[in-house]
Amino acid sequence: MLRNYPISAHLRFILEKIRPEMRQYFFEDEKHGLPFSRDKRAVVYQRAKNVLDKRPFGTQYDVYADGYEWMRHSIAPRPHAIAPFRVTIGGPDCASPYSASIFNISAMSFGALSPNAIRALNGGAKKGEFAHDTGEGGFSPYHREMGGDIIWEVGSGYFGCRTPDGQFCPEKFAQAAAADQIRMVELKLSQGAKPGHGGVLPAAKVSREIAQTRGVPMGKDCISPSHHSVFSTPIELVKFIGEMRRLSGGKPTGFKLCIGHPWEFLAICKAMLATRIYPDFIVIDGKEGGTGAAPLEFVDHLGMPLKDGLTFAHNALVGIGARDRIRIGASGKIASAFDIARAIALGADWCNSARGFMFALGCIQSQSCHTDRCPTGVTTQDRSRQRALVVPDKMQRVANFHASTMQSLIELTATAGLDHPGEFALDHFSRRVSASEVMTFKQLYPPLEPGELLRGTRDLRFAEAWEIASATSFRPLQIPGLNVRRQALSLG
Ligand SMILES: Cc1cc2nc3c(=O)[nH]c(=O)nc-3n(C[C@H](O)[C@H](O)[C@H](O)COP(=O)(O)O)c2cc1C
Ligand code: SF4
């Protein structure tokens, strides 16, 4: 190219090199930029700054395009509900249930995020009385500094509760989990952006503080294995959840995953029934969720998207008669009140947002989080870059974003003719499936009856996967006459 067409080759090179944050300003329209459209980012910035967040003139969506979704409103709106909207998490086996906001900060580790980002997120959570998930990188001094409610996430690296050779250490776990600030404990099985991948924090980024927080040596790559060493079967998994709850003194304990093989999730359900050990909560992360760094194939093509995973998990728990005792959290591109209402209709009790709160911190979606050169100080361990993030300002913005989103949810709830967002149901939402055809969410995601899996269901999404799910192995049972490959395909 350079030899034959020197001018166009240079031009092409320059255009390719335009960084994403610049490209988005020149070439994106308001609604279609990715992962988050300019409009979606703008509304977070406006709500975080407490400035005008209204839009003039009318929607920019093509409301006749396939996939367009809307909420049905009522002719008789209700009076505005009184926030804060909270949900109590903690089943009958939990000694200290937690009253959580229905909108919280999703898991992001110290290591992926800078110390100032952690401070500002946790300070915002404290001001707004919502929860902040540590991510798998441990409970750091920066989480402690501001005193906001913490959900402590434990991943396959067991950071903050590991032996020198990387195994789970019950004593260290119990000691750390006893902190009053830790309100819930979450075992991470996977996340939507890179399910089953694990992760590496390169040696160069393993600072003294990160090494201390995680309990790993400095000067060595810090590895999160792709799988847990403490359990290898569904029964062992639920027993481990029960053990974590016991060791934490009875705090609500659950797990987070992006659904892969449907029969594996159903195998965990069977293990709950077999052992009578139930998690207090399950967080369903959608394929569309974010990450600090992951291979392209994983980011683009692995894991079940949120709407499918969430309805699957919700219905599975309904189907085994355990939905009342297990709360469901949801994450995956949730950043507005509409997103929250829709997730609740699909089965969530509360929602988490990672990148929404990153925007509140000032993230400009330049997508260089993996390079340690974040221009806004959110995802860097470089001290000079971290200075871009002024903690008192940004912690207020985090709290503002949460409060304004809740205010918008109050208005949506009233408009739907409801008193509480927990009342959003499948028939409150519709989706256009062709130019002349609309389906309600109830038609798109038909609900199971309570206990239906136990009685034997004919629902194609569940019937065969339920048959082949085993409480004693994540591998599907080989049942003569059932074709596992066909089941996998029909279940998506
Ligand atoms: C920078 C960054 C770091 C993350 N680190 C973790 C992590 O340590 N543990 C985890 O379970 N999820 C992690 N996630 C995923 C989020 O918690 C969440 O599941 C997902 O991003 C939800 O999508 P959202 O960003 O669209 O809200 C991370 C996401 C981002 C953007
Ligand atoms: S966190 Fe920083 S590097 Fe990552 S997208 Fe936002 S501004 Fe860019």
Side-chain angles (χ1 to χ4, degrees):
M1 275 289 278
L2 269 174
R3 284 197 189 118
N4 289 340
Y5 311 102
I7 295 176
S8 32
H10 276 108
L11 198 61
R12 176 176 167 273
F13 181 75
I14 290 167
L15 286 173
E16 256 188 9
K17 283 288 161 194
I18 294 181
R19 298 177 52 77
E21 75 267 28
M22 302 306 286
R23 206 161 39 221
Q24 66 198 359
Y25 300 133
F26 293 125
F27 303 117
E28 259 179 24
D29 68 19
E30 294 295 316
K31 295 293 184 195
H32 295 105
L34 290 168
F36 284 79
S37 68
R38 198 204 302 241
D39 206 31
K40 198 73 173 271
R41 297 194 306 272
V43 84
V44 178
Y45 299 143
Q46 287 156 351
R47 289 178 175 169
K49 290 181 192 164
N50 256 348
V51 298
L52 186 66
D53 64 349
K54 306 295 180 279
R55 297 289 181 272
F57 225 65
T59 184
Q60 294 185 9
Y61 279 115
D62 175 358
V63 297
Y64 298 100
D66 292 1
Y68 174 74
E69 290 179 347
W70 70 95
M71 195 191 95
R72 296 168 164 198
H73 64 281
S74 168
I75 254 174
R78 300 286 302 154
H80 281 183
I82 311 283
F85 301 127
R86 302 194 82 83
V87 54
T88 302
I89 307 171
D93 302 326
C94 164
S96 47
Y98 174 52
S99 166
S101 166
I102 63 171
F103 189 45
N104 301 293
I105 302 170
S106 199
M108 291 182 281
S109 305
F110 168 48
L113 299 189
S114 66
N116 278 357
I118 301 280
R119 285 184 178 115
L121 288 174
N122 195 258
K126 171 87 177 166
K127 270 178 186 277
E129 297 182 347
F130 51 99
H132 176 196
D133 191 316
T134 59
E136 63 187 288
F139 179 39
S140 75
Y142 305 109
H143 290 101
R144 287 171 226 260
E145 216 175 291
M146 300 294 177
D149 285 356
I150 285 290
I151 300 169
W152 181 23
E153 183 181 79
V154 174
S156 57
Y158 309 118
F159 299 130
C161 54
R162 60 190 253 138
T163 59
D165 63 345
Q167 302 300 306
F168 178 74
C169 173
E171 294 77 28
K172 285 188 184 158
F173 174 82
Q175 204 179 6
D180 287 343
Q181 199 185 344
I182 295 179
R183 309 303 298 266
M184 308 212 291
V185 183
E186 173 182 279
L187 182 70
K188 177 186 174 181
L189 303 185
S190 58
Q191 75 184 81
K194 50 172 180 179
H197 186 261
V200 180
L201 193 65
K205 285 180 90 176
V206 184
S207 65
R208 184 175 304 282
E209 290 153 327
I210 290 176
Q212 273 167 2
T213 300
R214 296 190 178 204
V216 299
M218 274 183 78
K220 278 191 176 172
D221 288 353
C222 175
I223 313 274
S224 289
S226 61
H227 63 279
H228 280 269
S229 55
V230 84
F231 63 86
S232 59
T233 69
I235 285 192
E236 286 172 9
L237 163 60
V238 294
K239 283 187 173 167
F240 184 52
I241 297 276
E243 185 60 0
M244 286 173 83
R245 181 165 48 214
R246 187 187 69 76
L247 290 166
S248 71
K251 293 186 178 175
T253 305
F255 62 90
K256 167 179 176 174
L257 86 169
C258 172
I259 293 191
H261 294 305
W263 62 78
E264 292 182 349
F265 188 81
L266 297 179
I268 300 173
C269 292
K270 285 191 173 175
M272 294 177 204
L273 294 168
T275 58
R276 299 193 182 173
I277 302 172
Y278 295 85
D280 297 295
F281 66 90
I282 299 175
V283 174
I284 301 296
D285 196 30
K287 195 291 90 31
E288 59 269 57
T291 175
L296 181 79
E297 291 82 352
F298 282 72
V299 167
D300 281 347
H301 297 294
L302 241 79
M304 204 180 268
L306 178 62
K307 289 173 196 163
D308 306 287
L310 180 55
T311 48
F312 185 82
H314 165 71
N315 277 310
L317 297 181
V318 170
I320 63 163
R323 185 63 181 88
D324 289 349
R325 57 188 299 159
I326 303 174
R327 296 277 184 252
I328 295 184
S331 53
K333 285 189 86 171
I334 292 174
S336 73
F338 177 77
D339 299 335
I340 297 173
R342 183 174 52 189
I344 292 174
L346 290 168
D349 293 300
W350 88 89
C351 295
N352 295 335
S353 172
R355 288 168 295 176
F357 282 101
M358 285 167 75
F359 293 138
L361 290 176
C363 160
I364 55 169
Q365 194 168 262
S366 65
Q367 298 175 59
S368 43
C369 320
H370 57 308
T371 63
D372 205 32
R373 292 211 294 271
C374 171
T376 58
V378 177
T379 54
T380 178
Q381 301 308 314
D382 176 335
R383 284 188 191 277
S384 60
R385 287 174 190 270
Q386 285 168 27
R387 284 180 317 176
L389 201 159
V390 179
V391 175
D393 291 358
K394 294 298 157 69
M395 126 181 156
Q396 188 57 53
R397 288 192 187 180
V398 166
N400 291 348
F401 167 55
H402 179 270
S404 309
T405 308
M406 288 299 98
Q407 182 55 37
S408 181
L409 188 61
I410 289 176
E411 292 170 19
L412 274 187
T413 306
T415 307
L418 305 174
D419 292 321
H420 190 280
E423 295 168 30
F424 278 112
L426 292 170
D427 38 20
H428 290 116
F429 289 84
S430 297
R431 182 187 305 158
R432 178 171 296 290
V433 292
S434 77
S436 58
E437 212 183 344
V438 169
M439 291 178 85
T440 67
F441 274 24
K442 201 164 190 173
Q443 293 168 306
L444 290 164
Y445 306 103
L448 286 194
E449 293 293 322
E452 187 173 333
L453 288 178
L454 304 177
R455 294 191 297 273
T457 180
R458 297 165 76 90
D459 188 311
L460 268 185
R461 296 166 300 167
F462 291 90
E464 293 180 346
W466 180 251
E467 287 282 302
I468 60 174
S470 159
T472 55
S473 171
F474 284 112
R475 292 194 164 276
L477 291 171
Q478 298 300 314
I479 297 179
L482 280 184
N483 180 335
V484 173
R485 188 170 147 67
R486 182 169 56 79
Q487 293 155 22
L489 291 174
S490 73
L491 291 163

